[in-house]
Structure formats: C-alpha cells, structure tokens
Amino acid sequence: LIPTMETLLAGGIELYGQVVLCPGLNDGPVLEETMEVLSRYHPGLKAIAVVPLGLSAHREPDPLLREVTPEIAGGVLDTIGRFQENFLASHGTRFAFPGDEFFLRAGREIPGADYYEEFDQIEDGIGMIRNFAEQFDRGCGALSAGPPVLQRLALVTGRLLSDDLERFAALLRDRHRLDLRVVRVANDYLGRSITVAGLLAGRDVSAAIRKEAAGYPVAIPSEMVSRANGLLIDNYTPERVAEEAGVEELHVVDGAEGLLRLIGEGRCDEAGGGTYPHV
C-alpha cells in the first residue's frame, strides 16, 4: 500500500487510513510499527482509525482470527494512548484514533470532545458516541422551549449503543413525560457478534420492530441507510422495513440533532433522511 499512498500524496490528495485490528496478527509491536511508519506521511495522511475486527457468522473457520476481548481492547487503548502523546508533541495531532468499540469492550469511559479533534473519521465509528452526546446536550435546550410534537416513539439501534441510547431516552422520559421505547436489534443477517447499527439488515430491523414496538412510530439511525442508493445492507428500502414491521410511520434520523428535531417538531431534517409512511 505504501507506493500507492505515496503516489496519491504526491498528487496532492489528502488521505485517511483505517487499521482493522486483528488480535495476534497486527496488534502489539505490529500496531506500534504501523502507527510509527504511517505517521511519517502526515500531514498528507491526515489521521488513521484503528477499529476492531468484526467476525461474520457465515465465514469459514479460521484459527488465526479471533474476537477482541475486553483485555485486548484495553491493551490496544493503552498502546494507542502512548503514541498519541508523542504524536501531539511532534505533529500537533493525536493522529491515531481508536474506534468507540474499544472503549465499550474495555469498559472505559468515552473521551471528551477535544480528544476527537475535528471528528474527521466519525463514519468509521471514531467519536460517534461522544458526538451524539454533544448533540443531545445542545438539542435538549431547544426541546425544552415547547411541548414535543411526538409523545411516543420507538428508537431502533444495534446492541453496541443500546445502553447509551437507553440513558438518553430515560432523560427525555423524565423531563418531558415521553413514551420512548429502545429497540435493540440483534444482527442475525451477519452474525450476532456484529453489534453496530450501521451493519443491521432490514429484515432484522423489521422483525425486531414488529416484535417490540407494535403501534409505535419508529426512528432508525441514518447510518443504517446508504447515502449512495438509499438501501440497507440487505437491499431493503426504509419503505419495505416499515411495511414488513407493520408500522404507520418510520423516520430515518441523523444523529441526536435529527432525533430531537423529530420529537420536538415532528419532522426530520432533509440532510439526515426522511419519513416513510406505510400505507
């Protein structure tokens, strides 16, 4: 990859990198070498994301590939943290950023907003939780200005962020007496070890809604829906999800701001998605 990177950088193209962390293969000293070598290409190479390996349930058995355990996740965070301190001193940026999953798996607090600098790789799962929390805090003030339009809503997410979303829902229940239900969707399409919302299939989403949120208007995160073609990972459209789930209205919302706008005004912002009635 290095010659290709050098060609692109020589042409004035800014790059971002992603390291898929495979325990026993490219963690430990290999990860250290990777960060050190790639940092030499900064600032053309703006930053790198380090994300955990995700194992599909449908893959052929491979003894070389194994899950990222809490202990491994903690070790990865410690390694990256040491290098971040050096990069801040030498490059003025942390440069290497671990995915949110590492913090969750290691049972550690999600860092503050400053840690993620410009949130440049948020779509790789770098700072997504913190960004949601920041949006939520900002938007709650506006929501308090008047009575919410939607009094009941089902919030769909993957298992990874379900506890965090439940905490946000609890705050809204207490402050505004809303009937909010968090629907945790297990990923049977790819395998239950895949827990991020962005890789949920429409068939799993619709089945979970049908089982746990019958009669509720539903909000799903925009990460589930491709910006390129408007489809979920198994080629379901949001309309098909709504139809198979048997719900009257399904909303695609972009982050906490989109969710709070939906609750407060009964609409989604145009940039974040849309509303799909089931007729």
Side-chain angles (χ1 to χ4, degrees), residues 232-258:
L232 282 77
I233 196 171
D234 58 346
N235 290 334
Y236 269 51
T237 62
E239 293 93 336
R240 183 176 177 183
V241 172
E243 180 180 359
E244 292 193 3
V247 298
E248 294 184 0
E249 203 166 75
L250 182 142
H251 308 272
V252 179
V253 298
D254 188 16
E257 290 178 346

PDB file of all heavy atoms in Angstrom, residues 232-258:
ATOM      1  N   LEU A 232     -30.649  -0.422   2.867  1.00  0.00           N
ATOM      2  CA  LEU A 232     -29.954  -1.056   3.972  1.00  0.00           C
ATOM      3  C   LEU A 232     -29.049  -2.145   3.414  1.00  0.00           C
ATOM      4  O   LEU A 232     -29.063  -2.431   2.214  1.00  0.00           O
ATOM      5  CB  LEU A 232     -30.941  -1.619   4.989  1.00  0.00           C
ATOM      6  CG  LEU A 232     -31.574  -0.576   5.931  1.00  0.00           C
ATOM      7  CD1 LEU A 232     -32.676   0.219   5.224  1.00  0.00           C
ATOM      8  CD2 LEU A 232     -32.146  -1.248   7.192  1.00  0.00           C
ATOM      9  N   ILE A 233     -28.276  -2.794   4.277  1.00  0.00           N
ATOM     10  CA  ILE A 233     -27.214  -3.685   3.822  1.00  0.00           C
ATOM     11  C   ILE A 233     -27.739  -4.902   3.059  1.00  0.00           C
ATOM     12  O   ILE A 233     -27.032  -5.484   2.235  1.00  0.00           O
ATOM     13  CB  ILE A 233     -26.335  -4.126   5.024  1.00  0.00           C
ATOM     14  CG1 ILE A 233     -25.026  -4.722   4.524  1.00  0.00           C
ATOM     15  CG2 ILE A 233     -27.088  -5.065   5.933  1.00  0.00           C
ATOM     16  CD1 ILE A 233     -24.018  -4.989   5.621  1.00  0.00           C
ATOM     17  N   ASP A 234     -28.997  -5.286   3.298  1.00  0.00           N
ATOM     18  CA  ASP A 234     -29.577  -6.427   2.578  1.00  0.00           C
ATOM     19  C   ASP A 234     -30.526  -5.976   1.466  1.00  0.00           C
ATOM     20  O   ASP A 234     -31.391  -6.743   1.031  1.00  0.00           O
ATOM     21  CB  ASP A 234     -30.298  -7.367   3.542  1.00  0.00           C
ATOM     22  CG  ASP A 234     -31.408  -6.658   4.317  1.00  0.00           C
ATOM     23  OD1 ASP A 234     -31.446  -5.413   4.305  1.00  0.00           O
ATOM     24  OD2 ASP A 234     -32.225  -7.357   4.947  1.00  0.00           O
ATOM     25  N   ASN A 235     -30.339  -4.735   1.004  1.00  0.00           N
ATOM     26  CA  ASN A 235     -31.107  -4.170  -0.109  1.00  0.00           C
ATOM     27  C   ASN A 235     -32.564  -3.874   0.237  1.00  0.00           C
ATOM     28  O   ASN A 235     -33.378  -3.648  -0.665  1.00  0.00           O
ATOM     29  CB  ASN A 235     -31.036  -5.057  -1.365  1.00  0.00           C
ATOM     30  CG  ASN A 235     -29.672  -5.036  -2.005  1.00  0.00           C
ATOM     31  OD1 ASN A 235     -28.923  -4.070  -1.872  1.00  0.00           O
ATOM     32  ND2 ASN A 235     -29.313  -6.119  -2.688  1.00  0.00           N
ATOM     33  N   TYR A 236     -32.901  -3.858   1.524  1.00  0.00           N
ATOM     34  CA  TYR A 236     -34.211  -3.373   1.934  1.00  0.00           C
ATOM     35  C   TYR A 236     -34.233  -1.848   1.800  1.00  0.00           C
ATOM     36  O   TYR A 236     -33.234  -1.179   2.065  1.00  0.00           O
ATOM     37  CB  TYR A 236     -34.493  -3.730   3.391  1.00  0.00           C
ATOM     38  CG  TYR A 236     -35.183  -5.048   3.614  1.00  0.00           C
ATOM     39  CD1 TYR A 236     -34.706  -6.221   3.037  1.00  0.00           C
ATOM     40  CD2 TYR A 236     -36.297  -5.132   4.436  1.00  0.00           C
ATOM     41  CE1 TYR A 236     -35.325  -7.434   3.273  1.00  0.00           C
ATOM     42  CE2 TYR A 236     -36.928  -6.342   4.679  1.00  0.00           C
ATOM     43  CZ  TYR A 236     -36.448  -7.494   4.093  1.00  0.00           C
ATOM     44  OH  TYR A 236     -37.058  -8.692   4.322  1.00  0.00           O
ATOM     45  N   THR A 237     -35.363  -1.308   1.406  1.00  0.00           N
ATOM     46  CA  THR A 237     -35.589   0.126   1.495  1.00  0.00           C
ATOM     47  C   THR A 237     -36.225   0.429   2.849  1.00  0.00           C
ATOM     48  O   THR A 237     -36.821  -0.460   3.479  1.00  0.00           O
ATOM     49  CB  THR A 237     -36.547   0.601   0.391  1.00  0.00           C
ATOM     50  OG1 THR A 237     -37.815  -0.054   0.570  1.00  0.00           O
ATOM     51  CG2 THR A 237     -35.977   0.293  -0.988  1.00  0.00           C
ATOM     52  N   PRO A 238     -36.151   1.684   3.315  1.00  0.00           N
ATOM     53  CA  PRO A 238     -36.879   2.033   4.541  1.00  0.00           C
ATOM     54  C   PRO A 238     -38.379   1.760   4.403  1.00  0.00           C
ATOM     55  O   PRO A 238     -39.026   1.354   5.375  1.00  0.00           O
ATOM     56  CB  PRO A 238     -36.594   3.528   4.713  1.00  0.00           C
ATOM     57  CG  PRO A 238     -35.261   3.727   4.062  1.00  0.00           C
ATOM     58  CD  PRO A 238     -35.273   2.805   2.874  1.00  0.00           C
ATOM     59  N   GLU A 239     -38.935   1.971   3.193  1.00  0.00           N
ATOM     60  CA  GLU A 239     -40.352   1.695   2.990  1.00  0.00           C
ATOM     61  C   GLU A 239     -40.668   0.218   3.235  1.00  0.00           C
ATOM     62  O   GLU A 239     -41.692  -0.110   3.841  1.00  0.00           O
ATOM     63  CB  GLU A 239     -40.773   2.072   1.563  1.00  0.00           C
ATOM     64  CG  GLU A 239     -40.724   3.569   1.279  1.00  0.00           C
ATOM     65  CD  GLU A 239     -39.410   4.015   0.678  1.00  0.00           C
ATOM     66  OE1 GLU A 239     -38.393   3.316   0.875  1.00  0.00           O
ATOM     67  OE2 GLU A 239     -39.398   5.063   0.021  1.00  0.00           O
ATOM     68  N   ARG A 240     -39.778  -0.651   2.774  1.00  0.00           N
ATOM     69  CA  ARG A 240     -40.018  -2.085   2.973  1.00  0.00           C
ATOM     70  C   ARG A 240     -39.904  -2.460   4.446  1.00  0.00           C
ATOM     71  O   ARG A 240     -40.662  -3.301   4.935  1.00  0.00           O
ATOM     72  CB  ARG A 240     -39.032  -2.908   2.138  1.00  0.00           C
ATOM     73  CG  ARG A 240     -39.276  -4.403   2.228  1.00  0.00           C
ATOM     74  CD  ARG A 240     -38.346  -5.180   1.316  1.00  0.00           C
ATOM     75  NE  ARG A 240     -38.546  -6.615   1.474  1.00  0.00           N
ATOM     76  CZ  ARG A 240     -37.829  -7.546   0.835  1.00  0.00           C
ATOM     77  NH1 ARG A 240     -36.884  -7.181  -0.024  1.00  0.00           N
ATOM     78  NH2 ARG A 240     -38.067  -8.835   1.043  1.00  0.00           N
ATOM     79  N   VAL A 241     -38.949  -1.845   5.143  1.00  0.00           N
ATOM     80  CA  VAL A 241     -38.833  -2.082   6.585  1.00  0.00           C
ATOM     81  C   VAL A 241     -40.136  -1.707   7.272  1.00  0.00           C
ATOM     82  O   VAL A 241     -40.679  -2.453   8.094  1.00  0.00           O
ATOM     83  CB  VAL A 241     -37.657  -1.290   7.186  1.00  0.00           C
ATOM     84  CG1 VAL A 241     -37.666  -1.399   8.719  1.00  0.00           C
ATOM     85  CG2 VAL A 241     -36.334  -1.796   6.632  1.00  0.00           C
ATOM     86  N   ALA A 242     -40.674  -0.516   6.937  1.00  0.00           N
ATOM     87  CA  ALA A 242     -41.921  -0.054   7.544  1.00  0.00           C
ATOM     88  C   ALA A 242     -43.069  -1.005   7.228  1.00  0.00           C
ATOM     89  O   ALA A 242     -43.885  -1.339   8.101  1.00  0.00           O
ATOM     90  CB  ALA A 242     -42.243   1.359   7.064  1.00  0.00           C
ATOM     91  N   GLU A 243     -43.119  -1.464   5.976  1.00  0.00           N
ATOM     92  CA  GLU A 243     -44.209  -2.351   5.568  1.00  0.00           C
ATOM     93  C   GLU A 243     -44.153  -3.681   6.302  1.00  0.00           C
ATOM     94  O   GLU A 243     -45.161  -4.157   6.837  1.00  0.00           O
ATOM     95  CB  GLU A 243     -44.147  -2.576   4.056  1.00  0.00           C
ATOM     96  CG  GLU A 243     -45.251  -3.485   3.524  1.00  0.00           C
ATOM     97  CD  GLU A 243     -45.157  -3.687   2.027  1.00  0.00           C
ATOM     98  OE1 GLU A 243     -44.250  -3.107   1.405  1.00  0.00           O
ATOM     99  OE2 GLU A 243     -45.984  -4.434   1.494  1.00  0.00           O
ATOM    100  N   GLU A 244     -42.960  -4.304   6.350  1.00  0.00           N
ATOM    101  CA  GLU A 244     -42.844  -5.606   7.000  1.00  0.00           C
ATOM    102  C   GLU A 244     -42.977  -5.503   8.517  1.00  0.00           C
ATOM    103  O   GLU A 244     -43.424  -6.451   9.165  1.00  0.00           O
ATOM    104  CB  GLU A 244     -41.515  -6.263   6.621  1.00  0.00           C
ATOM    105  CG  GLU A 244     -41.445  -6.670   5.164  1.00  0.00           C
ATOM    106  CD  GLU A 244     -40.278  -7.600   4.858  1.00  0.00           C
ATOM    107  OE1 GLU A 244     -39.544  -7.990   5.804  1.00  0.00           O
ATOM    108  OE2 GLU A 244     -40.093  -7.930   3.678  1.00  0.00           O
ATOM    109  N   ALA A 245     -42.588  -4.343   9.070  1.00  0.00           N
ATOM    110  CA  ALA A 245     -42.730  -4.157  10.517  1.00  0.00           C
ATOM    111  C   ALA A 245     -44.171  -3.851  10.901  1.00  0.00           C
ATOM    112  O   ALA A 245     -44.554  -3.999  12.068  1.00  0.00           O
ATOM    113  CB  ALA A 245     -41.823  -3.026  10.992  1.00  0.00           C
ATOM    114  N   GLY A 246     -44.955  -3.416   9.921  1.00  0.00           N
ATOM    115  CA  GLY A 246     -46.349  -3.100  10.202  1.00  0.00           C
ATOM    116  C   GLY A 246     -46.527  -1.798  10.959  1.00  0.00           C
ATOM    117  O   GLY A 246     -47.482  -1.654  11.729  1.00  0.00           O
ATOM    118  N   VAL A 247     -45.630  -0.837  10.749  1.00  0.00           N
ATOM    119  CA  VAL A 247     -45.743   0.444  11.448  1.00  0.00           C
ATOM    120  C   VAL A 247     -46.314   1.490  10.510  1.00  0.00           C
ATOM    121  O   VAL A 247     -46.138   1.419   9.285  1.00  0.00           O
ATOM    122  CB  VAL A 247     -44.369   0.918  11.991  1.00  0.00           C
ATOM    123  CG1 VAL A 247     -43.836  -0.069  13.007  1.00  0.00           C
ATOM    124  CG2 VAL A 247     -43.367   1.122  10.861  1.00  0.00           C
ATOM    125  N   GLU A 248     -47.004   2.466  11.076  1.00  0.00           N
ATOM    126  CA  GLU A 248     -47.619   3.501  10.260  1.00  0.00           C
ATOM    127  C   GLU A 248     -46.603   4.513   9.751  1.00  0.00           C
ATOM    128  O   GLU A 248     -46.786   5.103   8.687  1.00  0.00           O
ATOM    129  CB  GLU A 248     -48.709   4.217  11.059  1.00  0.00           C
ATOM    130  CG  GLU A 248     -49.903   3.327  11.399  1.00  0.00           C
ATOM    131  CD  GLU A 248     -50.994   4.099  12.098  1.00  0.00           C
ATOM    132  OE1 GLU A 248     -50.810   5.316  12.317  1.00  0.00           O
ATOM    133  OE2 GLU A 248     -52.022   3.487  12.415  1.00  0.00           O
ATOM    134  N   GLU A 249     -45.536   4.718  10.525  1.00  0.00           N
ATOM    135  CA  GLU A 249     -44.574   5.744  10.137  1.00  0.00           C
ATOM    136  C   GLU A 249     -43.183   5.371  10.606  1.00  0.00           C
ATOM    137  O   GLU A 249     -42.994   5.006  11.766  1.00  0.00           O
ATOM    138  CB  GLU A 249     -44.980   7.090  10.734  1.00  0.00           C
ATOM    139  CG  GLU A 249     -44.424   8.286   9.985  1.00  0.00           C
ATOM    140  CD  GLU A 249     -45.119   9.570  10.395  1.00  0.00           C
ATOM    141  OE1 GLU A 249     -44.820  10.049  11.506  1.00  0.00           O
ATOM    142  OE2 GLU A 249     -45.953  10.082   9.628  1.00  0.00           O
ATOM    143  N   LEU A 250     -42.219   5.448   9.697  1.00  0.00           N
ATOM    144  CA  LEU A 250     -40.825   5.179  10.024  1.00  0.00           C
ATOM    145  C   LEU A 250     -40.000   6.390   9.609  1.00  0.00           C
ATOM    146  O   LEU A 250     -40.148   6.896   8.490  1.00  0.00           O
ATOM    147  CB  LEU A 250     -40.343   3.914   9.317  1.00  0.00           C
ATOM    148  CG  LEU A 250     -38.902   3.477   9.598  1.00  0.00           C
ATOM    149  CD1 LEU A 250     -38.816   1.956   9.700  1.00  0.00           C
ATOM    150  CD2 LEU A 250     -37.955   3.964   8.492  1.00  0.00           C
ATOM    151  N   HIS A 251     -39.119   6.840  10.507  1.00  0.00           N
ATOM    152  CA  HIS A 251     -38.292   8.016  10.254  1.00  0.00           C
ATOM    153  C   HIS A 251     -36.819   7.613  10.239  1.00  0.00           C
ATOM    154  O   HIS A 251     -36.376   6.835  11.092  1.00  0.00           O
ATOM    155  CB  HIS A 251     -38.500   9.070  11.344  1.00  0.00           C
ATOM    156  CG  HIS A 251     -39.934   9.425  11.581  1.00  0.00           C
ATOM    157  ND1 HIS A 251     -40.586  10.416  10.881  1.00  0.00           N
ATOM    158  CD2 HIS A 251     -40.856   8.906  12.443  1.00  0.00           C
ATOM    159  CE1 HIS A 251     -41.835  10.512  11.301  1.00  0.00           C
ATOM    160  NE2 HIS A 251     -42.024   9.605  12.244  1.00  0.00           N
ATOM    161  N   VAL A 252     -36.072   8.135   9.295  1.00  0.00           N
ATOM    162  CA  VAL A 252     -34.617   7.978   9.257  1.00  0.00           C
ATOM    163  C   VAL A 252     -34.020   9.266   9.798  1.00  0.00           C
ATOM    164  O   VAL A 252     -34.208  10.338   9.217  1.00  0.00           O
ATOM    165  CB  VAL A 252     -34.107   7.697   7.833  1.00  0.00           C
ATOM    166  CG1 VAL A 252     -32.587   7.575   7.834  1.00  0.00           C
ATOM    167  CG2 VAL A 252     -34.741   6.429   7.282  1.00  0.00           C
ATOM    168  N   VAL A 253     -33.320   9.193  10.931  1.00  0.00           N
ATOM    169  CA  VAL A 253     -32.837  10.400  11.604  1.00  0.00           C
ATOM    170  C   VAL A 253     -31.317  10.423  11.628  1.00  0.00           C
ATOM    171  O   VAL A 253     -30.654   9.393  11.721  1.00  0.00           O
ATOM    172  CB  VAL A 253     -33.388  10.505  13.046  1.00  0.00           C
ATOM    173  CG1 VAL A 253     -34.894  10.611  13.031  1.00  0.00           C
ATOM    174  CG2 VAL A 253     -32.958   9.316  13.900  1.00  0.00           C
ATOM    175  N   ASP A 254     -30.782  11.621  11.540  1.00  0.00           N
ATOM    176  CA  ASP A 254     -29.337  11.825  11.501  1.00  0.00           C
ATOM    177  C   ASP A 254     -28.862  12.319  12.862  1.00  0.00           C
ATOM    178  O   ASP A 254     -28.994  13.508  13.179  1.00  0.00           O
ATOM    179  CB  ASP A 254     -28.996  12.844  10.416  1.00  0.00           C
ATOM    180  CG  ASP A 254     -27.496  12.954  10.179  1.00  0.00           C
ATOM    181  OD1 ASP A 254     -26.761  12.060  10.620  1.00  0.00           O
ATOM    182  OD2 ASP A 254     -27.066  13.946   9.567  1.00  0.00           O
ATOM    183  N   GLY A 255     -28.337  11.415  13.677  1.00  0.00           N
ATOM    184  CA  GLY A 255     -27.769  11.781  14.961  1.00  0.00           C
ATOM    185  C   GLY A 255     -28.791  12.271  15.966  1.00  0.00           C
ATOM    186  O   GLY A 255     -30.004  12.241  15.738  1.00  0.00           O
ATOM    187  N   ALA A 256     -28.276  12.762  17.102  1.00  0.00           N
ATOM    188  CA  ALA A 256     -29.150  13.248  18.165  1.00  0.00           C
ATOM    189  C   ALA A 256     -29.923  14.481  17.727  1.00  0.00           C
ATOM    190  O   ALA A 256     -31.082  14.669  18.130  1.00  0.00           O
ATOM    191  CB  ALA A 256     -28.318  13.551  19.413  1.00  0.00           C
ATOM    192  N   GLU A 257     -29.294  15.342  16.906  1.00  0.00           N
ATOM    193  CA  GLU A 257     -29.984  16.544  16.447  1.00  0.00           C
ATOM    194  C   GLU A 257     -31.220  16.178  15.631  1.00  0.00           C
ATOM    195  O   GLU A 257     -32.296  16.767  15.802  1.00  0.00           O
ATOM    196  CB  GLU A 257     -29.036  17.419  15.628  1.00  0.00           C
ATOM    197  CG  GLU A 257     -27.946  18.076  16.466  1.00  0.00           C
ATOM    198  CD  GLU A 257     -26.990  18.892  15.621  1.00  0.00           C
ATOM    199  OE1 GLU A 257     -27.009  18.734  14.377  1.00  0.00           O
ATOM    200  OE2 GLU A 257     -26.227  19.689  16.200  1.00  0.00           O
ATOM    201  N   GLY A 258     -31.069  15.202  14.743  1.00  0.00           N
ATOM    202  CA  GLY A 258     -32.209  14.767  13.952  1.00  0.00           C
ATOM    203  C   GLY A 258     -33.284  14.127  14.805  1.00  0.00           C
ATOM    204  O   GLY A 258     -34.486  14.336  14.576  1.00  0.00           O
TER     205      GLY A 258
END
